[in-house]
Amino acid sequence: MAPIILHYLHRDNFGGGPKNVVQVIDALAGLGEQQVVTAGAGRLTEQLKSRPEVKLHKISDLSPALFPVTAWRLNSLMSKVRPQMVITHGQWGGMFMGMALRMAAPVQGVFVTQWCSLYESRDAWRSARNWLAEWFAFSRHQHIVCASDGNVRQFLYSGLLDDRSRVAIIPNPLEPPTLAEAGVIARLTPPARVEGLKTFVFLGRLERQKRPDWLLMAWKRALDGGMKNARLLILGEGAWRARCQKIIRDQLLSDSVTMLGHRTDAAWYLQSSDGLLLTSLY
């Protein structure tokens, strides 16, 4: 009988989680029966519609304050599915599944974390909440997968990790386009490089976590400080798009800043630019 591998992503409607889950499913193809549990319906649900070999379970999306209820529902689901391995993707999922694993029969748990929670000394409640969320994940998953050595160090400093042998580091990749895709991109996309202009790229969701407002105000200060012959391309969509557009208008940045929205050819833009600007909080 093939072992059952259960993947858990708490919310599948934003961020890199949905893509990461699909990549892991593909990497484990043929090693066992794979099932996925998620809250809500988003990008991952859409991607799995054409994957009949992967069974999808849904649980209702509750407030993080009700995480014991979510954990109980996960535990009930695992009692029915009886997986041999659980792979949890992301911080909130790590907390929910960590608590569920405390109630479940022994099972191998893998926690895939893309970043460390934000610990802010000026916000004691947020710092304590984030540490507790990750403690649930680290205390019950036997194996940890991180995207960088820097993340591992932060987990060690925070006291969440005491055994580095539990950790595997797999860098979070940006896959280059295939040769066929590159040919299509070259025909459809105007050149990112412009003679005499330095091109800088911002890549990310237009939301508070990525702080695109800081990006634009820093760009304004650079222009006021004498920077010339430079342009900024913003790749991404999100709830802060209107806010960014207002800053561009109010600060008279429209001549040097272009918002390109969500792009499937982001790797091509990065390869063709002079610099990448990141202003993420975490």
Side-chain angles (χ1 to χ4, degrees):
M1 180 184 241
I4 296 176
I5 304 170
L6 184 68
H7 303 265
Y8 176 50
L9 176 68
H10 175 52
R11 290 176 180 164
D12 72 341
N13 57 342
F14 62 87
K19 183 175 181 180
N20 289 337
V21 174
V22 172
Q23 287 180 333
V24 174
I25 289 174
D26 290 340
L28 299 178
L31 295 181
E33 177 187 330
Q34 300 195 67
Q35 303 189 26
V36 175
V37 54
T38 183
R43 291 166 52 201
L44 180 61
T45 303
E46 286 297 316
Q47 293 181 55
L48 293 179
K49 280 183 178 178
S50 59
R51 304 286 294 267
E53 78 279 12
V54 180
K55 185 174 181 180
L56 184 65
H57 304 273
K58 300 300 245 179
I59 61 172
S60 54
D61 186 6
L62 300 176
S63 165
L66 298 175
F67 74 91
V69 178
T70 301
W72 179 81
R73 290 177 175 174
L74 281 172
N75 178 258
S76 298
L77 177 64
M78 286 192 291
S79 297
K80 298 176 183 177
V81 173
R82 298 188 180 280
Q84 281 70 49
M85 175 176 285
V86 170
I87 303 178
T88 307
H89 302 259
Q91 259 65 6
W92 286 118
M95 178 181 72
F96 298 139
M97 182 57 79
M99 191 169 189
L101 288 172
R102 284 182 165 272
M103 300 181 283
V107 59
Q108 284 289 306
V110 179
F111 177 41
V112 182
T113 170
Q114 285 81 47
W115 44 268
C116 297
S117 289
L118 186 63
Y119 302 103
E120 295 179 284
S121 59
R122 63 183 182 276
D123 188 340
W125 158 243
R126 183 182 178 90
S127 297
R129 181 202 67 181
N130 290 348
W131 187 90
L132 183 63
E134 290 185 332
W135 178 82
F136 273 116
F138 278 81
S139 65
R140 299 310 299 175
H141 291 83
Q142 292 91 344
H143 309 285
I144 313 297
V145 178
C146 290
S148 72
D149 185 65
N151 276 1
V152 177
R153 293 180 186 180
Q154 290 184 65
F155 291 133
L156 287 168
Y157 296 155
S158 64
L160 291 164
L161 263 179
D162 56 6
D163 181 2
R164 191 160 181 157
S165 67
R166 296 170 58 199
V167 182
I169 300 175
I170 302 177
N172 197 358
L174 181 63
E175 296 177 351
T178 64
L179 288 176
E181 291 171 336
V184 173
I185 291 169
R187 292 195 300 272
L188 299 181
T189 309
R193 287 195 181 276
V194 175
E195 190 66 31
L197 276 181
K198 289 287 187 182
T199 298
F200 295 89
V201 169
F202 169 86
L203 174 62
R205 301 193 307 276
L206 302 182
E207 296 178 3
R208 178 182 178 276
Q209 179 185 342
K210 306 299 183 183
R211 297 312 306 230
D213 54 332
W214 289 355
L215 168 82
L216 291 169
M217 295 311 297
W219 187 259
K220 169 66 174 174
R221 291 183 64 177
L223 293 177
D224 291 346
M227 183 177 70
K228 297 179 180 178
N229 301 324
R231 65 172 181 164
L232 171 61
L233 306 179
I234 298 179
L235 282 63
E237 281 291 352
W240 277 29
R241 181 180 180 86
R243 181 181 302 206
C244 292
Q245 290 173 325
K246 185 178 187 303
I247 294 174
I248 291 172
R249 289 194 305 269
D250 292 348
Q251 301 298 325
L252 305 178
L253 299 176
S254 56
D255 288 343
S256 62
V257 179
T258 303
M259 299 183 68
L260 296 174
H262 175 71
R263 305 290 306 195
T264 58
D265 52 356
W268 186 85
Y269 272 90
L270 290 176
Q271 290 173 332
S272 304
S273 68
D274 296 290
L276 171 67
L277 304 180
L278 292 176
T279 49
S280 299
L281 272 173
Y282 53 96

